Amino acid sequence: MNDEMKLLPAIALRGTTILPGMIVHFDISREKSVKAVEEAMVRDQEIFLVGQKESDNDEPGILDVYRVGTIAHIKQVVKLKKDVLRILVEGLERAEVISFEHEDEYLEAEVALFDKTEEIPVSGNAKDAMLRSMRDIFKAYCRENGNVSNELSTQLLEIEDVEKLVDQISINLHLTFEHKQQLLEAVPLSERYELLGVLLSNEIEVMQIRKDLQMKVKERIDKGQREYILREQLKLIREELGEDHTVTDIDNFKKAVQKLKATKEIKDKIIEEIDRFQNIGNNSSESAVMRGYIETLLSLPWDKASKDNTDLKRAKDILEADHYGLEKVKERILEFLAVRSLTKKGDSPILCLVGPPGTGKTSIGRSIASALNKKYVRLSLGGVRDEAEIRGHRRTYVGAMPGRIARGLKQAGVKNPLMVLDEIDKVSSDYKGDVASAMLEVLDSEQNSHFSDHYVELPLDLSEVLFLATANDIQAIPRPLLDRMEIIEVTSYTENEKQHIAKEHLIPKQMDRHGLKNSQLEINDTALASIIAHYTKEAGVRSLERKVGEICRKAARQIMEEKKEKVSVTTRNLTRYLGNGRYTYQMANAADEIGIVRGLAWTSVGGDTLQIEVNIMPGKGEFLLTGQLGDVMKESAQAGISYIRSVAKTYDIPLTFFQKHDIHIHIPEGAVPKDGPSAGITMAAAMLSAITETPVKADVAMTGEITLRGRVLPIGGLKEKLLAAKNARIKTVLVPAENKKDVGEVSREITGGLRIVYVETMSEVLEEALAK
């Protein structure tokens, strides 16, 4: 190489090598490559072309390209669609890339030219010998190949200069990108000659072996059976190489069947499929499908089961350590474990935990699996709408696979795992089938011992799987599916429960996640109570955990920046970490008012209080309802006004009152949709208060459905409603008499300090609510 250097625009080529003397066109679309061509056209139309080592690299640097490339002259540039350029180039000479410049806009390469005077000279006799030898090798290649045209071979064999002959053969033969790059990097003539001779000799040998194989195959088979020929060719090639993967796979499959824990019926079916796979041959389009099917059957845990834990005390300790509260769930699991320990058998229960978000329904599943020593599998069913997701696809379809239940068993590796069916209330259906209907067989203890998966085509035993479904809204679950599950309600947490959960679980978890030690952060009880009351409004603890995480992040920053040894969070400095509180409870009104009654409502994030307002105005008897009320709530208001009109004489209301006055009911927070029948007695009491101008006690709240005859019907979500009343400092709560049994299940922590009055009729409601 001499000291002559050039600075040229460069293009990194993917899977292509341009040799000197080659005239070829190719397309470019990379922005840097397009700019490099534009720069070359502005100059003297010379460009440096170098091959990339990895074709998927979009930003190649100096280490990502080969050492030697080609300086080429751009003969033509054609602009195609979508910013693609097609350029015609002629290779001029080899050059070595030294460095890349301007890598941000386009590649500009500093290249060094090769000095031919530095090459070791080849004598005339040597050149003549090399020329004759290369001609002989090329003639032999043309005889074996048959794809080289007579015109091309004649033209090349007439070349008298050995260097030109080597270059022209390199250009005109179909060589791989890597082989062309090797020829490009072989700068001395002797090295290039040897490399090309080796490549041609190897190709000649490969073609001769191929012809020998074809001759052997022709002697063994009938010429008309084309498919059979291909199979025999493949078989013979494997014999020549000394390997046969198909035979090896079949042997491995048969050994796996022998080790498989399964019934004779299942083993016979798998062996039958293995025999079919052997007869099909490895190159059939059905071969990959059969292989996948056999591997799936062998990986399923037909009779393989894990040993359950029978130690009730250990199971109880694990459940108590991992979760605070959730007593009903824990009791049911311990009951199941006790029965299983006594009987040594018994079907696993199918439980459904229903409750608001963030109350620990999903996470309790992992604790139950740990307590029972079961494998844990979680299936998220939210948004699943294709029945095949549950039952699997039939094998006739391309890309068929087992359903989620079968894949869950395969993942667990045993036939008795704990399987969490998360968000079962959010499955949907479309033209491909109803997912909820497909779940009927899965969750039916009488049928699921022979569950049918379309892909597996053999009955799967799900009777020993402990299913644990979770849902937020029980109304969204179809009735037949609901009937197959044992419902356990997971209710909202009280403030006291949230404090326990935060101290025992959330704060240690977040401190560990943020790298804080116990000695570095302290959140006192009053600050924690303030976070729960004023920074979160939820039934569960997800937002509370996020707020604790936010405090941990700010504390970590303080410790690093201010070198503090300990950060203490109190009510005084809480705003420094979380800002001002976002939520306040709507407390009981200070004084009794006319036409304003406090109702109780259940929401997806817990209980809440509703202040129902009624105004009476002179008018034509119109009845207005505002506050984004649903149809059921509107009908409850209609039932309430009908009841009031029916008892108008009792409360000295003139008969013409309803024709001469308009009644307007409004429930504040108009942007929030509201629905349900439980505000019926509340709206009726507010209307009667406004009509008779009698104040309603400010410390009274109520909930219950009203009928036309004034009876009070039971409602749901009572725990959350009583909790909301307690937080709002309500003293008296009116509850339907039929809900008395539900109040008994509510903890004393919530009912303590509340005067709960059970009412059966509207007259009892008014007796308690209206101020005398």
Side-chain angles (χ1 to χ4, degrees):
M1 186 186 303
N2 66 5
D3 293 331
E4 185 178 351
M5 312 289 283
K6 276 192 176 185
L7 202 60
L8 296 171
I11 296 177
L13 301 175
R14 305 183 208 235
T16 304
T17 298
I18 308 299
L19 296 171
M22 184 183 289
I23 298 176
V24 66
H25 65 75
F26 55 89
D27 296 344
I28 56 171
S29 58
R30 254 193 314 224
E31 188 177 351
K32 286 186 177 181
S33 301
V34 172
K35 287 185 177 179
V37 170
E38 291 171 354
E39 183 65 20
M41 295 304 289
V42 171
R43 299 183 190 178
D44 56 359
Q45 297 185 344
E46 281 191 359
I47 194 161
F48 182 66
L49 305 175
V50 62
Q52 280 184 220
K53 294 177 181 176
E54 300 291 341
S55 61
D56 57 353
N57 188 347
D58 289 326
E59 295 290 335
I62 188 68
L63 299 176
D64 302 315
V65 298
Y66 289 100
R67 183 179 61 86
V68 179
T70 304
I71 298 173
H73 177 74
I74 301 175
K75 300 175 76 69
Q76 187 183 43
V77 179
V78 179
K79 193 168 185 179
L80 305 177
K81 293 180 180 178
K82 297 182 180 179
D83 299 326
V84 176
L85 292 184
R86 176 167 292 171
I87 63 173
L88 179 69
V89 298
E90 180 181 7
L92 299 179
E93 60 182 312
R94 293 171 173 78
E96 182 178 2
V97 60
I98 304 301
S99 65
F100 280 152
E101 306 287 342
H102 306 303
E103 290 192 36
D104 291 336
E105 298 179 12
Y106 63 90
L107 295 178
E108 185 160 33
E110 182 183 8
V111 299
L113 304 181
F114 291 98
D115 189 355
K116 292 187 177 182
T117 59
E118 294 181 1
E119 288 185 27
I120 299 172
V122 181
S123 66
N125 290 336
K127 282 187 176 181
D128 189 48
M130 289 166 67
L131 179 65
R132 293 182 185 181
S133 176
M134 184 54 66
R135 282 176 175 172
D136 292 338
I137 294 172
F138 183 63
K139 285 177 185 177
Y141 176 83
C142 293
R143 281 196 305 271
E144 294 294 337
N145 191 301
N147 292 328
V148 181
S149 65
N150 292 331
E151 292 80 6
L152 177 61
S153 60
T154 303
Q155 186 179 348
L156 293 178
L157 290 171
E158 287 177 354
I159 296 173
E160 295 296 329
D161 180 66
V162 66
E163 184 171 3
K164 189 176 180 182
L165 177 62
V166 169
D167 289 343
Q168 286 301 313
I169 291 175
S170 302
I171 291 169
N172 287 284
L173 291 190
H174 294 291
L175 300 175
T176 63
F177 155 62
E178 289 81 9
H179 288 157
K180 283 190 177 181
Q181 184 64 37
Q182 290 174 8
L183 288 168
L184 182 65
E185 293 178 359
V187 179
L189 171 61
S190 57
E191 186 180 336
R192 218 178 318 153
Y193 165 83
E194 288 176 10
L195 180 59
L196 182 61
V198 169
L199 290 175
L200 289 177
S201 299
N202 285 343
E203 283 295 317
I204 292 167
E205 190 174 349
V206 168
M207 287 185 285
Q208 286 174 344
I209 293 171
R210 182 166 169 265
K211 284 185 178 180
D212 290 341
L213 286 173
Q214 287 176 337
M215 292 298 296
K216 290 178 183 178
V217 171
K218 284 181 180 179
E219 292 172 2
R220 294 167 59 180
I221 60 174
D222 183 6
K223 293 181 181 179
Q225 297 176 333
R226 182 175 178 276
E227 184 180 349
Y228 187 62
I229 291 173
L230 295 173
R231 285 186 200 159
E232 287 296 314
Q233 261 190 326
L234 188 60
K235 185 178 179 182
L236 195 57
I237 289 169
R238 283 181 176 150
E239 287 177 5
E240 294 288 331
L241 293 174
E243 60 184 29
D244 192 343
H245 293 299
T246 306
V247 174
T248 306
D249 287 343
I250 290 166
D251 289 341
N252 291 337
F253 288 154
K254 289 183 177 178
K255 288 177 185 176
V257 173
Q258 291 174 0
K259 295 178 183 177
L260 190 67
K261 289 185 178 180
T263 61
K264 185 176 183 300
E265 175 193 353
I266 290 166
K267 287 187 175 182
D268 290 345
K269 171 68 175 174
I270 298 174
I271 289 171
E272 183 183 326
E273 293 296 330
I274 293 171
D275 291 340
R276 284 185 60 201
F277 174 64
Q278 188 172 11
N279 293 332
I280 283 173
N282 200 40
N283 63 332
S284 168
S285 59
E286 199 178 345
S287 173
V289 177
M290 289 294 301
R291 182 190 297 273
Y293 180 57
I294 293 167
E295 288 172 349
T296 300
L297 294 183
L298 290 171
S299 61
L300 285 170
W302 299 102
D303 287 338
K304 184 181 178 183
S306 60
K307 188 177 180 181
D308 288 353
N309 169 41
T310 55
D311 187 345
L312 261 71
K313 185 178 183 304
R314 176 178 173 274
K316 185 177 181 180
D317 290 344
I318 291 173
L319 292 173
E320 292 293 346
D322 289 351
H323 286 79
Y324 182 87
L326 300 173
E327 299 303 331
K328 288 184 180 179
V329 184
K330 294 174 182 176
E331 282 181 19
R332 184 63 184 87
I333 295 303
L334 293 173
E335 288 167 5
F336 157 71
L337 190 54
V339 172
R340 178 62 66 89
S341 299
L342 287 172
T343 61
K344 309 297 181 186
K345 58 181 180 179
D347 293 335
S348 296
I350 298 170
L351 308 178
C352 181
L353 309 184
V354 179
T359 48
K361 299 184 299 298
T362 303
S363 60
I364 190 81
R366 196 176 290 277
S367 296
I368 293 170
S370 177
L372 300 180
N373 196 30
K374 284 181 174 289
K375 296 288 186 179
Y376 174 82
V377 179
R378 176 178 168 270
L379 307 181
S380 181
L381 300 180
V384 174
R385 60 178 61 199
D386 187 356
E387 180 193 353
E389 288 283 333
I390 305 300
R391 287 192 173 277
H393 303 80
R394 299 191 184 277
R395 284 194 290 141
T396 51
Y397 295 113
V398 175
M401 59 195 301
R404 291 197 180 197
I405 303 296
R407 295 207 302 273
L409 287 176
K410 180 180 174 182
Q411 177 188 336
V414 291
K415 69 172 185 176
N416 61 337
L418 182 142
M419 201 171 282
V420 175
L421 306 175
D422 213 6
E423 311 290 2
I424 199 169
D425 57 327
K426 295 176 182 64
V427 298
S428 54
S429 59
D430 62 4
Y431 67 94
K432 295 178 182 176
D434 184 3
V435 178
S437 298
M439 292 298 296
L440 293 178
E441 185 184 357
V442 175
L443 299 180
D444 191 334
S445 56
E446 298 297 323
Q447 300 179 42
N448 65 7
S449 59
H450 288 78
F451 172 68
S452 173
D453 184 282
H454 291 155
Y455 180 85
V456 176
E457 294 180 352
L458 287 169
L460 292 169
D461 183 6
L462 304 181
S463 61
E464 294 186 43
V465 177
L466 174 54
F467 286 106
L468 184 71
T470 71
N472 298 130
D473 183 11
I474 199 170
Q475 305 297 328
I477 304 174
R479 189 72 199 173
L481 186 58
L482 195 64
D483 187 53
R484 284 162 165 78
M485 299 185 289
E486 186 178 333
I487 306 300
I488 299 177
E489 287 195 19
V490 180
T491 52
S492 307
Y493 291 123
T494 63
E495 288 192 10
N496 183 43
E497 287 174 330
K498 287 181 180 179
Q499 277 203 301
H500 278 290
I501 292 168
K503 286 196 288 187
E504 294 174 18
H505 300 285
L506 303 185
I507 294 175
K509 176 183 172 184
Q510 287 297 322
M511 286 176 67
D512 180 61
R513 186 175 289 177
H514 291 84
L516 297 173
K517 298 175 183 175
N518 291 334
S519 60
Q520 292 179 307
L521 175 64
E522 180 189 10
I523 304 175
N524 68 22
D525 291 348
T526 52
L528 189 57
S530 182
I531 295 169
I532 294 167
H534 303 299
Y535 292 87
T536 65
K537 188 175 184 181
E538 57 177 346
V541 290
R542 282 203 183 114
S543 292
L544 177 58
E545 184 175 7
R546 282 193 285 270
K547 293 299 176 186
V548 172
E550 190 175 340
I551 290 173
C552 289
R553 289 196 301 274
K554 288 183 167 60
R557 183 178 174 186
Q558 270 188 284
I559 290 168
M560 295 303 295
E561 290 183 351
E562 301 173 19
K563 307 300 180 185
K564 281 194 173 186
E565 292 185 3
K566 184 175 183 178
V567 175
S568 296
V569 180
T570 64
T571 49
R572 289 185 177 181
N573 63 2
L574 185 59
T575 53
R576 177 180 176 182
Y577 297 94
L578 297 179
N580 295 322
R582 295 181 58 193
Y583 304 106
T584 56
Y585 285 108
Q586 192 176 8
M587 297 300 172
N589 294 339
D592 302 345
E593 294 187 55
I594 294 171
I596 296 180
V597 182
R598 187 64 64 93
L600 300 174
W602 180 92
T603 70
S604 61
V605 293
D608 203 357
T609 61
L610 293 175
Q611 188 158 283
I612 295 176
E613 301 175 348
V614 176
N615 262 0
I616 305 295
M617 304 154 288
K620 299 178 181 179
E622 290 187 10
F623 188 55
L624 301 175
L625 294 163
T626 57
Q628 204 170 342
L629 311 185
D631 291 340
V632 176
M633 206 167 191
K634 289 178 182 177
E635 290 170 2
S636 294
Q638 293 284 356
I641 193 66
S642 296
Y643 165 75
I644 292 169
R645 293 180 70 171
S646 70
V647 296
K649 287 184 180 180
T650 308
Y651 295 95
D652 300 323
I653 303 171
L655 295 176
T656 57
F657 180 89
F658 297 100
Q659 286 79 35
K660 296 181 179 179
H661 293 82
D662 293 342
I663 300 174
H664 186 172
I665 299 179
H666 178 69
I667 303 179
E669 295 187 36
V672 180
K674 308 164 192 76
D675 206 358
S678 63
I681 65 171
T682 316
M683 290 188 287
M687 286 188 285
L688 193 63
S689 166
I691 291 168
T692 61
E693 298 184 356
T694 307
V696 178
K697 295 175 185 176
D699 60 353
V700 172
M702 60 189 73
T703 179
E705 182 179 349
I706 188 173
T707 69
L708 280 175
R709 298 300 178 92
R711 288 185 296 116
V712 180
L713 302 182
I715 45 79
L718 193 60
K719 178 185 174 182
E720 287 80 5
K721 292 178 179 180
L722 292 176
L723 183 57
K726 188 176 181 69
N727 290 334
R729 307 291 187 266
I730 298 292
K731 294 180 181 176
T732 303
V733 181
L734 308 184
V735 175
E738 291 185 42
N739 283 113
K740 189 172 183 177
K741 60 184 184 302
D742 300 318
V743 175
E745 295 180 2
V746 180
S747 67
R748 287 288 301 165
E749 182 189 339
I750 297 174
T751 58
L754 287 177
R755 176 173 168 259
I756 299 175
V757 179
Y758 301 104
V759 291
E760 292 183 344
T761 63
M762 194 64 206
S763 59
E764 295 175 12
V765 173
L766 298 171
E767 182 72 24
E768 284 288 340
L770 298 179
K772 300 294 188 286

